[in-house]
Amino acid sequence: MNIVAVGYFFVIAWLLGLTLIRKLKLKFNFIASVAVSGIVGIICLTQILFWQSWFVPFKAESILISLSLLTGGLVLWWSQQIKKIKKIEIKVNKKRLKSWGLFLLVWLGLFLLIWSQMLKREADGVYAGWVNIWGDWAAHLTYTTSFGWGNNLPPVMPILAKAKFSYPFMADFLSAILLKLQGNIFVAMLWPSLILSMLLVIVITVLGQEISKNSRVGKLTTTLFLFNGGLGFWWWLKDIKTLGLDAVISDLPREYTHLEKLANIEWINIITSQVVPQRGFLLGFPAAVLVYLLLWRYWNQRQSKNLLAAGLLTAMLPLIHAHSVAVIGVVSVILFGLELIQAKKKVLVVKNWLKFFLPIGLLGLPQMMYFYSGSLTTGSFIHWLPGWLSIKRGDSIYWFWVK
């Protein structure tokens, strides 16, 4: 197989996503539609091929047959839809298009630079371009190759004998699909990372824009979120004064958003701590942001189609990013409770929210019960710890949160 097959996968995934958002009657502008279709399509197609692999041998041929059948169905459906369209109006706001184009070009350049350095083949082996890649991707490469080369289906934990695969592995299965289609582990790991990074940029911007009703605020939201950090820049300036700008830029002496021992600054940058090393985050968090966007729309418009779409998308997240499921669960229960208290027609509120909770119960809960119940983990990793790491290190709670 070759790189064309990988491109074919992503094209069909995007078309599948576009079809689903149209079936659910969700309306987005052009840029948002591209991102939403990509997020929904990649997740849905990966899920389809994963569950298919339990019954059909996981091979390049079976993947391509499924993609071909899906292509035929999508082409047939769209040909019928196009016949129903009497008039097509395309409105282009050149100023907004130019603004988006420049904004995305900057982010594309940044992520191309980052991802091109994350896995490097040298004469004496493969090198990681970042310490968190070195730490996390050893496991992710193992999970991916266990699916792609080891036929680990139905899945068991490849690093713990006879243990359930009680870890959100779907991002690694996505790479295993590409590994089957193309055979290159670098393509399988890095291509989806680049694509999902850009989809994340767009969907955060769309959420910020929809809440603020201002496109500039939307772009600022993304920039502040992804370039987050504490007061570590002060030590960066001090290092420049001591070592010189060239020395600091060419070889950073420390991670300035994580000055654990020096200043107890723990607010690690999202890109270096989550986007780059955490593959489940990179696939799941764009979907979670989309769920928040749909919940925001429901809260303002009271259209239950947004709850249905949010519920279906959340139901696919347990094997992608379990933390997103937990947070979405808390947010949704609070919103449901608030609306129920305020509403006069409480039965209608319950009916609306059933469209959100039922898909999660019917589709998401069985996944969690099968893969996460009876795992080797005991106890809870959630604890009430006001002040977090300030207490352990003798820091002021208030100053800790400020910096």
Side-chain angles (χ1 to χ4, degrees):
M1 299 298 165
N2 53 41
I3 203 73
V4 175
V6 174
Y8 179 45
F9 171 87
F10 283 111
V11 169
I12 296 306
W14 181 82
L15 187 58
L16 174 62
L18 183 64
T19 304
L20 291 173
I21 64 174
R22 186 173 178 85
K23 287 284 288 182
L24 290 168
K25 298 180 181 179
L26 302 175
K27 294 182 179 181
F28 299 96
N29 62 33
F30 175 74
I31 297 292
S33 180
V34 169
V36 172
S37 299
I39 294 166
V40 172
I42 290 171
I43 288 176
C44 287
L45 187 51
T46 302
Q47 290 273 4
I48 290 170
L49 294 174
F50 171 71
W51 294 109
Q52 169 190 295
S53 68
W54 286 50
F55 308 101
V56 178
F58 184 50
K59 298 180 178 180
E61 292 78 11
S62 62
I63 295 172
L64 288 174
I65 289 172
S66 297
L67 291 178
S68 300
L69 292 173
L70 187 57
T71 301
L74 291 172
V75 169
L76 179 63
W77 189 84
W78 277 102
S79 63
Q80 294 174 345
Q81 295 301 306
I82 291 172
K83 290 178 182 178
K84 298 177 183 179
I85 299 175
K86 298 179 180 180
K87 185 179 180 181
I88 299 177
E89 290 186 9
I90 301 177
K91 297 180 180 180
V92 178
N93 186 319
K94 293 183 179 180
K95 186 178 180 181
R96 182 175 298 176
L97 191 63
K98 183 179 178 180
S99 174
W100 265 105
L102 182 61
F103 178 72
L104 293 179
L105 190 62
V106 170
W107 280 105
L108 178 61
L110 175 63
F111 281 121
L112 277 171
L113 178 62
I114 290 173
W115 289 115
S116 65
Q117 302 299 315
M118 288 303 101
L119 282 182
K120 301 286 287 186
R121 186 188 296 276
E122 303 292 349
D124 57 344
V126 177
Y127 283 77
W130 177 239
V131 63
N132 292 339
I133 287 283
W134 177 80
D136 287 33
W137 277 32
H140 288 301
L141 285 164
T142 300
Y143 301 156
T144 297
T145 53
S146 77
F147 292 125
W149 291 336
N151 295 315
N152 181 22
L153 293 159
V156 294
M157 178 64 80
I159 56 177
L160 293 172
K162 298 182 180 180
K164 280 187 178 182
F165 208 143
S166 53
Y167 179 87
F169 55 77
M170 201 60 76
D172 297 315
F173 188 81
L174 166 61
S175 288
I177 294 170
L178 306 184
L179 192 60
K180 286 288 188 184
L181 292 176
Q182 209 273 338
N184 187 313
I185 190 66
F186 292 89
V187 171
M189 300 296 284
L190 297 175
W191 273 43
S193 298
L194 176 61
I195 292 170
L196 291 167
S197 297
M198 293 306 298
L199 293 178
L200 176 61
V201 167
I202 297 174
V203 75
I204 293 176
T205 306
V206 170
L207 176 61
Q209 183 174 305
E210 187 135 346
I211 292 174
S212 66
K213 305 298 181 184
N214 188 306
S215 60
R216 292 182 178 178
V217 172
K219 296 178 179 67
L220 181 61
T221 301
T222 300
T223 304
L224 291 176
F225 180 77
L226 293 178
F227 284 155
N228 76 296
L231 299 182
F233 68 87
W234 176 251
W235 281 265
W236 179 68
L237 294 173
K238 290 174 68 175
D239 284 341
I240 289 175
K241 184 178 180 180
T242 304
L243 304 173
L245 180 61
D246 291 342
V248 172
I249 294 297
S250 61
D251 187 12
L252 289 175
R254 59 186 106 247
E255 187 179 359
Y256 292 100
T257 61
H258 189 205
L259 300 176
E260 179 182 0
K261 295 180 180 179
L262 182 62
N264 197 21
I265 292 178
E266 301 289 346
W267 314 113
I268 313 177
N269 176 257
I270 291 292
I271 294 176
T272 61
S273 67
Q274 301 295 320
V275 173
V276 169
Q278 300 286 342
R279 306 197 78 234
F281 176 90
L282 192 51
L283 181 59
F285 191 67
V289 175
L290 178 53
V291 169
Y292 301 139
L293 173 61
L294 292 167
L295 291 175
W296 173 262
R297 284 189 169 187
Y298 171 75
W299 194 256
N300 287 278
Q301 303 169 3
R302 293 300 193 266
Q303 294 180 338
S304 61
K305 64 181 181 181
N306 293 305
L307 285 180
L308 176 61
L312 290 169
L313 191 54
T314 304
M316 289 185 279
L317 286 179
L319 298 183
I320 297 175
H321 195 233
H323 294 81
S324 288
V325 179
V327 176
I328 289 170
V330 172
V331 170
S332 60
V333 167
I334 291 174
L335 291 178
F336 168 64
L338 289 174
E339 187 181 4
L340 193 62
I341 292 171
Q342 296 171 1
K344 294 181 180 179
K345 298 180 179 179
K346 299 187 185 300
V347 174
L348 179 61
V349 172
V350 173
K351 285 182 178 179
N352 286 342
W353 279 95
L354 278 175
K355 293 181 180 180
F356 175 82
F357 290 116
L358 277 179
I360 298 173
L362 296 175
L363 301 176
L365 188 59
Q367 297 177 49
M368 291 186 278
M369 293 177 66
Y370 179 85
F371 284 99
Y372 300 137
S373 64
S375 68
L376 295 179
T377 303
T378 58
S380 173
F381 62 89
I382 300 176
H383 301 279
W384 177 248
L385 190 61
W388 191 32
L389 295 176
S390 64
I391 299 173
K392 290 185 176 181
R393 295 180 183 143
D395 207 352
S396 163
I397 292 179
Y398 306 106
W399 177 232
F400 174 77
W401 290 108
V402 168
K403 65 184 178 180

